[in-house]
């Protein structure tokens, strides 16, 4: 592998209580790569991201971040290794203003965005800085959810369904945002249902089904195998 | 001449002042309960017991070690915070994933055990604790004679409540607390040590109860049951203010203390039930509490 390894997951099994959700997932992500995780609703993509963050009930296997085994670490120590998690439900806090939401995650390491950088990338947020977080529009909340993890210096971003339910013009803006993050050397795992959006951005694609990795494709194979992927997505 | 509702003004003012003093304790205790419930999801039944332990700690410091009131005011909250931290680490930590009911049961158990221990040690008769010399006097306000210590209690607890409110609503540390109250898992995923926050928050709530205990010691009989006597009213205050609401806990604590005082003058028979009548009315017409958010 050309680039150094950012994340290696080996034989990961995850559980919510008694429900066994992930069944032996293997996945690698190189430093600076953008990797898309596609699959139908319920395939286990969100569970995979939560497992990386230590947010599931129980997990077994190996999850190595930047050379450090994290399977026994509590969530806050995993985050401190330089992970930024943008959850599917966005989790904007209603008791915090837009700017308080933005400033909430502590800076974990150097090299992150400054507040000005974030406002430069998402000018809407500057205008809405004093508004209650949950009063922002869906698109603004999504920008806030992404912007606030850029301040921390995290180098590996886990983005869950960021294009979901947003107007096309906002999806285009997010597309530009991901490209610029990639140019700055961020490593990104992009969970998506939107094949077009993901395919345009990703270096590689994993397709999940029933808690397993069903396919692993490079960007240059996508066109030839689009039919196969679409079948997995049930389109 | 100087009468309102046919009651002499000094009598009315005196009762309202007593109500304000009680309201100050209600506010400090319900504030701690609200913060703890918000973040830990624990209905801390032992809060009254911690208040009692705070008062006894001041008594023990004075009678066993010769440590005076002002030092107690600083030492006891620290000691009680450590007690709280120990309780959280040893017991509460293990039941967060269970229903609210378990936290309630556990803290009831703790309350009863501690009350038993204190009754065994000190008897149920009660001890008296003197006000510090500098506050033992009275001030003539013209319309009433104000015992200085009562004035001090009201100022000190209002100051503490305001400082706590400011800390939670206006600072970065408070933003962590508010965010973790809404969604602890995401806050932890940002790299914040939420388990440690829970421990320290519980310790802080207990420190507030301990401080209220020291403040109360000179104005009440210090008895092992003083906590149980007050905690039921404080729960009513929390329900009226709105479970988990910081401002609601403070405002309704003070307001209900005053209302109790007023009722003592106007219709003494109802003075010990008026809080519960208000609670029933609030539950009927605004179930989330006066300051609570409807879900
Ligand atoms: N908290 C939970 N408890 C139990 N089962 C869950 C929970 N969250 C998700 N699941 C189940 O796990 C499976 C994978 O869900 P998820 O990871 O959310 O899929 P995706 O993100 O790919 O749509 C689904 O069958 C879902 O019902
Ligand atoms: Mg999902």
């Amino acid at each position: 592998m050309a680039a150094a390894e950012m994340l290696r997951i080996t034989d990961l099994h995850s559980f919510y209580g008694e429900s066994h959700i992930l069944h032996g997932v293997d996945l690698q992500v190189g430093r600076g790569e953008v990797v898309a995780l596609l699959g139908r609703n319920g395939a286990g993509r969100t569970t995979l991201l939560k497992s990386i963050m230590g947010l599931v009930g129980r997990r077994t296997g190996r999850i190595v971040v930047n050379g450090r085994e994290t399977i026994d670490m509590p969530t806050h120590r995993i985050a401190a290794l330089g992970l930024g998690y943008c959850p599917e439900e966005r989790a904007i806090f209603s008791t915090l203003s837009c700017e308080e939401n933005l400033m909430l995650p502590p800076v974990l390491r150097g090299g992150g965005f400054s507040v000005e950088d974030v406002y430069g990338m998402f000018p809407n947020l500057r205008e809405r800085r004093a508004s209650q977080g949950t009063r922002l529009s869906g698109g603004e909340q999504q920008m806030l959810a992404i912007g606030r993890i850029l301040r921390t210096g995290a180098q590996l971003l886990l983005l869950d369904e960021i294009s979901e339910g947003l107007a096309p013009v906002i999806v285009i803006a997010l597309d530009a945002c991901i490209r610029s993050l990639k140019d700055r050397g961020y490593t990104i795992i992009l969970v998506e249902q939107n094949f077009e959006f993901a395919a345009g951005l990703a270096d590689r694609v994993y397709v999940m089904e029933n808690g397993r990795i069903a396919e692993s494709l490079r960007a240059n194979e996508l066109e030839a195998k689009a039919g196969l992927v679409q079948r997995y997505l049930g389109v | 001449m100087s009468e309102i509702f046919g009651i002499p003004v000094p009598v009315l003012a005196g009762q309202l002042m007593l109500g304000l003093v009680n309201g100050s304790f209600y506010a400090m205790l319900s504030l701690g309960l609200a913060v703890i419930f918000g973040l830990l999801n624990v209905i801390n039944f032992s809060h009254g017991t911690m208040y009692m332990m705070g008062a006894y700690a001041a008594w023990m410091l004075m009678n066993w070690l010769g440590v005076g009131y002002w030092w107690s005011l600083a030492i006891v909250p620290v000691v009680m915070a450590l007690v709280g931290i120990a309780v959280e680490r040893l017991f509460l930590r293990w039941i967060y994933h269970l229903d609210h009911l378990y936290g309630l049961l556990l803290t009831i158990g703790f309350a009863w055990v501690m009350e038993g221990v204190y009754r065994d040690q000190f008897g149920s008769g009660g001890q008296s604790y003197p006000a510090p010399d500098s506050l033992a006097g009275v001030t003539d306000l013209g319309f009433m004679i104000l015992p200085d210590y009562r004035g001090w209690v009201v100022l000190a607890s209002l100051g503490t409540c305001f400082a706590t409110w400011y800390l939670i609503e206006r600072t970065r540390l408070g933003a962590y607390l508010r965010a973790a109250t809404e969604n602890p898992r995401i806050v932890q995923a940002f790299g914040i040590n939420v388990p440690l926050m829970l421990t320290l928050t519980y310790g802080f709530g207990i420190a507030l109860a301990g401080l209220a205990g020291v403040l109360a010691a000179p104005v009440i009989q210090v008895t092992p049951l003083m906590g149980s006597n007050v905690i039921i009213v404080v729960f009513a205050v929390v329900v009226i203010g709105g479970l988990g609401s910081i401002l609601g806990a403070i405002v309704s604590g003070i307001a209900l203390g005053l209302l109790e005082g007023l009722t003592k003058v106007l219709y003494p028979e109802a003075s010990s039930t008026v809080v519960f009548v208000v609670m029933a009315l609030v539950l009927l017409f605004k179930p989330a509490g006066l300051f609570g958010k409807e879900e």
Side-chain angles (χ1 to χ4, degrees):
Chain A
M1 199 175 264
E5 199 166 73
M6 191 68 171
L7 175 72
R8 170 178 290 270
I9 297 177
T10 314
D11 194 29
L12 174 68
H13 291 257
S14 295
F15 305 79
Y16 291 116
E18 295 297 303
S19 323
H20 190 168
I21 308 290
L22 299 186
H23 303 267
V25 169
D26 296 302
L27 173 148
Q28 292 82 251
V29 181
R31 188 178 300 280
E33 263 194 314
V34 175
V35 171
L37 213 51
L38 301 178
R40 205 175 287 191
N41 253 330
R45 298 157 303 153
T46 295
T47 304
L48 180 51
L49 295 192
K50 284 190 177 172
S51 302
I52 296 170
M53 295 307 303
L55 292 170
V56 290
R58 189 162 72 82
R59 60 210 173 117
T60 67
R62 291 167 56 81
I63 303 178
V64 177
V65 177
N66 232 339
R68 299 279 300 276
E69 176 60 66
T70 65
I71 201 79
D72 292 320
M73 282 188 191
T75 297
H76 59 274
R77 294 210 25 232
I78 298 174
L81 297 175
L83 275 77
Y85 174 48
C86 177
E88 190 170 7
E89 69 283 4
R90 295 174 193 150
I92 300 303
F93 296 98
S94 68
T95 45
L96 272 58
S97 69
C98 172
E99 188 154 274
E100 278 181 317
N101 267 282
L102 187 59
M103 300 303 290
L104 183 74
V107 174
L108 303 166
R109 45 179 64 207
F113 277 47
S114 68
V115 181
E116 281 309 310
D117 291 341
V118 175
Y119 285 147
M121 183 174 262
F122 303 117
N124 286 30
L125 296 183
R126 190 200 301 275
E127 286 160 35
R128 306 294 317 264
R129 66 210 291 175
S131 305
Q132 184 188 348
T134 44
R135 290 275 163 84
L136 272 57
S137 72
E140 288 166 341
Q141 289 193 29
Q142 189 63 71
M143 292 171 185
L144 180 54
I146 298 172
R148 72 182 169 185
I149 56 173
L150 299 179
R151 270 187 56 259
T152 64
Q155 283 300 311
L156 171 55
L157 307 182
L158 313 179
L159 309 181
D160 200 346
E161 307 260 21
I162 55 170
S163 73
E164 190 183 21
L166 298 179
V169 53
I170 296 175
V171 175
I172 291 169
L174 290 178
D175 184 287
C177 152
I178 302 298
R179 277 175 209 285
S180 107
L181 293 177
K182 184 176 158 68
D183 289 343
R184 295 190 195 210
Y186 281 88
T187 309
I188 299 173
I189 301 183
L190 207 55
V191 163
E192 273 299 330
Q193 295 243 51
N194 183 338
F195 176 72
E196 305 282 308
F197 180 71
L201 291 166
D203 300 312
R204 286 189 300 118
V205 169
Y206 287 96
V207 182
M208 284 191 81
E209 189 169 64
N210 296 327
R212 295 181 174 83
I213 302 288
E215 291 289 338
S216 160
L217 303 166
R218 303 190 164 283
N220 57 20
E221 300 172 293
L222 274 180
E223 203 158 338
K225 299 211 172 171
L228 173 77
V229 176
Q230 301 281 14
R231 263 203 305 290
Y232 275 114
L233 298 183
V235 182
Chain B
M1 23 163 263
S2 54
E3 291 191 351
I4 299 177
F5 309 131
I7 295 153
V9 165
V11 174
L12 186 64
Q15 282 301 338
L16 283 178
M17 189 63 211
L18 263 184
L20 202 53
V21 168
N22 283 332
S24 303
F25 299 136
Y26 297 161
M28 283 181 77
L29 292 173
S30 56
L31 179 59
L33 273 182
V35 174
I36 289 170
F37 178 78
L39 190 63
L40 284 73
N41 264 324
V42 167
I43 302 171
N44 187 38
F45 196 89
S46 57
H47 216 67
T49 305
M50 300 294 193
Y51 162 75
M52 176 273 285
M53 287 168 70
Y56 267 104
W59 185 89
M60 286 186 260
L61 280 172
M62 173 165 291
N63 288 281
W64 295 354
L65 300 175
V67 175
Y69 175 84
W70 299 106
W71 277 107
S72 282
L73 216 47
I75 295 170
V76 172
V78 175
V79 171
M80 291 309 295
L82 294 176
V83 170
I85 285 170
V87 168
E88 198 276 344
R89 284 271 151 132
L90 292 174
F91 305 113
L92 289 174
R93 161 149 310 194
W94 307 104
I95 56 163
Y96 288 141
H97 61 287
L98 301 173
D99 192 84
H100 288 337
L101 198 55
Y102 289 87
L104 182 63
L105 288 174
L106 184 98
T107 53
I108 288 179
F110 180 81
W112 287 354
V113 168
M114 291 320 285
E115 267 178 30
V117 168
Y118 276 71
R119 211 149 32 169
D120 187 54
Q121 281 293 312
F122 299 100
S124 39
Q127 271 72 24
S128 61
Y129 184 96
D133 292 338
S134 50
L135 293 173
V138 295
T139 302
D140 190 347
L141 296 180
F143 61 95
M144 70 176 289
I145 306 286
L146 173 70
D148 290 345
Y149 189 78
R150 289 186 190 165
W152 154 250
V153 165
V154 172
L155 288 181
S157 50
L158 285 182
T160 307
C161 288
F162 175 77
T164 305
W165 172 86
Y166 186 88
L167 182 73
I168 293 172
E169 299 292 342
R170 292 286 181 271
T171 68
R172 189 170 170 73
L173 199 65
Y176 288 145
L177 191 86
R178 279 175 281 144
T181 296
E182 270 188 66
N183 192 338
R185 299 168 68 71
I186 293 301
V187 171
Q188 196 172 1
F190 289 155
I192 295 165
N193 190 341
V194 172
L196 180 65
M197 259 178 86
L198 300 186
T199 305
L200 295 180
T201 300
Y202 192 74
F204 178 75
I206 300 309
L208 277 182
L211 180 63
V214 184
L215 286 171
V219 279
I220 57 168
Q221 273 285 90
V222 178
T223 80
L225 289 178
M226 63 185 261
S228 306
N229 295 341
V230 80
I231 195 65
I232 302 298
V233 177
V234 171
F235 272 122
V237 169
V238 171
V239 170
I240 291 166
L243 214 53
S245 162
I246 303 300
L247 193 62
I250 299 173
V251 172
S252 44
I254 300 286
L256 288 160
L258 281 172
L259 183 67
E260 264 187 356
L262 195 61
T263 314
K264 258 192 199 114
V265 194
L266 296 180
Y267 188 55
E269 294 83 348
S271 64
S272 58
T273 46
V274 64
V275 170
F276 301 99
V277 173
V278 173
M279 180 179 86
L281 290 174
V282 167
L283 284 176
L284 272 177
F285 294 107
K286 205 162 182 307
L290 296 180
F291 292 77
K293 288 189 197 74
E294 313 277 343
E295 291 289 310

